[in-house]
Amino acid sequence: MAATKKALLGPLVGAVDQGTSSTRFLVFNSKTAELLSHHQVEIKQQFPKEGWVEQDPKEILHSVYECVEKTCEKLGRLNIDISNIKAIGVSNQRETTVVWDKLTGEPLYNAVVWLDLRTQSTVENLSKSIPVNNNFVKSKTGLPLSTYFSAVKLRWLLDNVKKIQKAVEEDRALFGTIDSWLIWSLTGGATGGVHCTDVTNASRTMLFNIHSLEWDKQLCEFFKVPMKILPNVRSSSEIYGLMKAGTLEGVPISGCLGDQSAALVGQMCFQDGQAKNTYGTGCFLLCNTGHKCVFSEHGLLTTVAYKLGRDKPVYYALEGSVAIAGAVIRWLRDNLGIIKTSEEIEKLAKEAGTSYDCYFVPAFSGLYAPYWDPSARGIICGLTQFTNKCHIAFAALEAVCFQTREILDAMNRDCGIPLSHLQVDGGMTNNKILMQLQADILYIPVVKPSMPETTALGAAMAAGAAEGVGVWSLEPEDLSAVTMERFEPQINAKESEIRYSTWKKAVMKSMGWVTTQSPESGDPSIFSSLPLGFFIVSSMVMLIGARYLSGVP
C-alpha cells in the first residue's frame, strides 16, 4: 500500500523560502502542485541603533538546514520517499546585503536588512552627484536612489567595516544578497561553493543594468564597488550546483528568484498585465509588463520579473513596494505587547469592528512607494479616550490595506487599464478581516488561492522546470488549476473614498519627521531609541495625571 502511495506521488520539488521574519522549507508534488509538507523557523532581527536592522547570516543558513531536515523527517512519517525530491529552488528576501570570507566561509559582518536606514546620508550625498537631466542610475536600474537597495548598504560596509576592507584588499571578500550566500554555502562554501545570483535578485542591487542583464561598470564606479566581489549572474531556472551536505546531499539547486518574483511565478502571472500582491513583512504589488521595461511616472519601480531558463527571454514588471505590512503586527506583539501571537490581531480587530477614526501610518523605515520619503516616521492619530487596543489593532490592518490602495492607484495610472480584481498571497492573507478590509478599501474583488504559499511554489516551479531536471512543465495547458477564495466589497464606494482620503491626511502628517539627524551617525538623544508606544503611553499617563491634579473625576 505504501509503495503504491509513493508511486502515485511522482517527482517532488523542494523550495527554500527565506524571508525577513522566518525561513521555511516546503516540498511540492511537481505534477499537481500540492504542498506535501513544510517546516518553519522564525529569524531574529537585531536593531543595534535607531534605524538599523541586521540579521545573523549564520543563523539564516542554520535555519535552512534545520527546515530541510525537519521537513524530510515529516515526509518520512507520511511514508513519502525523500529520494523523490529531484530539485530545490531558492526564494529569498531581496536587497539584504551580506559580505563574507571565501576562504573561511565566515560572514565579515551581520546581514544589513533591506529595511535598514543607516545609509540615508550616503543616499543624500550620492544624489547630488547625479545630473538632473541624466539620472543614469534610474534609467539603467529602474530604481530610485534609496536606502532600500543593496549598493548603498555595500558602500557603507566597505567604508565602515575594517574586516571587510582588509578582505577586499586581500581578495578574500565575496558579496551577495541572501540567495547568493545560501547557494554558495549549500553548494560547498569554502570548498567549491558556487558564487552566483539570478537576474531578479541582481536587479535589486542598483549595480545591475536591467537592459543588458549585466553588472554595470559605470554604476559600480559610481558606488565605488569593486566588481571582483560580485556574484555571477544566472537565469532564474538552471542548475547552479548540488547540495553538498545534509539529508538532501546531491540534489541539484536549480531555481532562484527574489521572493516577489517567485510569488508572481507562483500566482502564474505569465501574461502581460497580470498582477499579484504579496503580504509579508512588507507588501509588494507586481504587474507583469512582458518583454518591455515600463518606467513609472507615479513612484513605482521597474524590475526584472523572471528569466526562466538560460536561453529563455527576460520578463519585466512594475512594482509597488510597501516597507511595513506584517511587520506592524510583529511590532504590536514585540514592542507594545498588545498581542501575544500574530494570530490574535484578527480577534481584536473583529471585536472592534472599526478603528473608530483612529489611523495608523507605520512608516517605521520611512515611506516607500509611491512617496519615497525616508524622513517619514510612524504615527497613530485620531486617538480619543474611547480608543482602545482593539481599535489600534483594526487601524493596523487598515494601514496595510490603505498602503496597498496607494500603490494600486499608482499602477492603474501607469498601466492605463485598472485592475478588475486583485490576486493576493502571503502569510497575512489567512486573516479574513484583512482580506475583507482590502476588498472594501480597493472597491474591487480580492482573490486568494486556497494554497497561499505561492512564493515557495514559484521557486519550486523554476527549479523543477530547469534544463537537466525537467519534472515541472510551465506550459499553460499543463499548469494545475488553482481553487480561489473571493472577497467582494461590502461597503459603498463613498464610504471607501472617505476613509481613504482621511488616511492620506494622516500620511501627510507622518512626512518630513526626521529633519536634522541621520541614523547613520548614531542616536541624536536618548529619545531616539524609544518606541512610538512609549510616547503614546506617556501621553496617556500625563493626561490621567492632569485630570487627577485638576480634580476632574
Side-chain angles (χ1 to χ4, degrees), residues 284-479:
F284 302 89
L285 177 64
L286 265 70
C287 180
N288 189 329
T289 62
H291 303 307
K292 60 184 182 296
C293 286
V294 175
F295 283 86
S296 172
E297 295 178 7
H298 301 96
L300 304 182
L301 311 177
T302 304
T303 196
V304 174
Y306 53 81
K307 186 178 187 292
L308 295 174
R310 211 174 291 174
D311 303 319
K312 295 292 174 67
V314 65
Y315 282 75
Y316 295 94
L318 272 175
E319 176 177 327
S321 314
V322 169
I324 303 295
V328 75
I329 312 305
R330 188 167 178 162
W331 183 82
L332 290 175
R333 184 193 73 185
D334 297 346
N335 290 43
L336 292 193
I338 283 178
I339 52 175
K340 290 180 180 174
T341 67
S342 298
E343 292 72 29
E344 282 180 43
I345 194 83
E346 186 170 7
K347 183 183 174 185
L348 287 184
K350 188 174 183 180
E351 192 177 319
T354 173
S355 67
Y356 203 77
D357 292 328
C358 168
Y359 287 84
F360 191 163
V361 183
F364 302 154
S365 295
L367 289 168
Y368 283 15
Y371 302 102
W372 297 105
D373 179 5
S375 71
R377 286 297 179 270
I379 64 167
I380 302 176
C381 55
L383 295 171
T384 70
Q385 286 178 298
F386 183 73
T387 307
N388 61 35
K389 65 180 181 179
C390 298
H391 300 124
I392 291 173
F394 195 96
L397 294 184
E398 274 194 320
V400 175
C401 301
F402 286 132
Q403 290 179 106
T404 297
R405 167 77 186 266
E406 290 188 306
I407 54 177
L408 184 70
D409 283 357
M411 193 161 284
N412 285 339
R413 289 195 294 271
D414 276 325
C415 296
I417 304 170
L419 290 177
S420 59
H421 66 276
L422 183 65
Q423 290 178 231
V424 301
D425 58 79
M428 289 189 81
T429 61
N430 291 322
N431 186 322
K432 292 186 184 297
I433 299 278
L434 176 71
M435 292 295 94
Q436 186 57 57
L437 275 173
Q438 190 66 87
D440 290 345
I441 288 165
L442 296 180
Y443 212 67
I444 59 172
V446 168
V447 180
K448 172 198 162 190
S450 56
M451 198 288 291
E453 305 296 349
T454 51
T455 301
L457 178 60
M461 289 166 67
E467 186 179 346
V469 178
V471 299
W472 204 309
S473 172
L474 299 183
E475 295 301 320
E477 63 272 15
D478 296 328
L479 294 173

Side-chain angles (χ1 to χ4, degrees), residues 534-553:
F534 174 88
F535 297 100
I536 297 168
V537 174
S538 298
S539 300
M540 289 177 175
V541 169
M542 285 188 283
L543 176 64
I544 293 165
R547 288 168 64 86
Y548 273 109
L549 288 171
S550 62
V552 178

Side-chain angles (χ1 to χ4, degrees), residues 62-226:
H62 292 153
S63 73
V64 171
Y65 279 120
E66 181 182 347
C67 287
V68 169
E69 296 304 313
K70 296 288 187 185
T71 302
C72 288
E73 287 174 15
K74 291 176 182 178
L75 288 171
R77 291 196 291 271
L78 292 169
N79 205 24
I80 295 171
D81 189 352
I82 62 170
S83 68
N84 278 339
I85 298 175
K86 303 302 181 187
I88 295 168
V90 174
S91 164
N92 58 286
Q93 53 171 309
R94 304 168 302 171
E95 300 94 18
T96 296
T97 299
V98 188
V99 180
W100 66 95
D101 188 319
K102 68 181 179 184
L103 300 183
T104 65
E106 291 294 312
L108 295 167
Y109 191 82
N110 272 342
V112 181
V113 176
W114 57 278
L115 287 164
D116 189 278
L117 286 176
R118 76 187 66 187
T119 55
Q120 184 50 40
S121 65
T122 303
V123 168
E124 289 167 3
N125 291 332
L126 285 169
S127 64
K128 295 169 188 171
S129 307
I130 300 174
V132 177
N133 60 350
N134 179 26
N135 189 340
F136 63 92
V137 174
K138 187 165 187 182
S139 64
K140 288 186 173 195
T141 67
L143 311 174
L145 193 59
S146 166
T147 59
Y148 181 20
F149 307 107
S150 309
V152 289
K153 302 179 194 300
L154 180 54
R155 180 68 258 147
W156 186 92
L157 291 169
L158 291 166
D159 286 341
N160 292 279
V161 182
K162 287 181 180 176
K163 283 169 68 175
I164 290 178
Q165 293 166 359
K166 194 167 187 291
V168 170
E169 288 168 11
E170 296 174 1
D171 201 24
R172 292 184 286 110
L174 295 178
F175 153 78
T177 41
I178 293 295
D179 57 304
S180 297
W181 163 243
L182 291 180
I183 292 173
W184 184 83
S185 300
L186 296 172
T187 57
T191 54
V194 178
H195 187 215
C196 69
T197 187
D198 89 301
V199 289
T200 68
N201 281 295
S203 76
R204 312 297 294 194
T205 61
M206 243 175 1
L207 300 169
F208 185 72
N209 188 314
I210 61 173
H211 309 284
S212 65
L213 303 182
E214 295 173 328
W215 298 121
D216 190 280
K217 191 169 184 288
Q218 183 187 15
L219 291 170
C220 289
E221 287 173 353
F222 177 71
F223 290 105
K224 296 180 182 173
V225 168

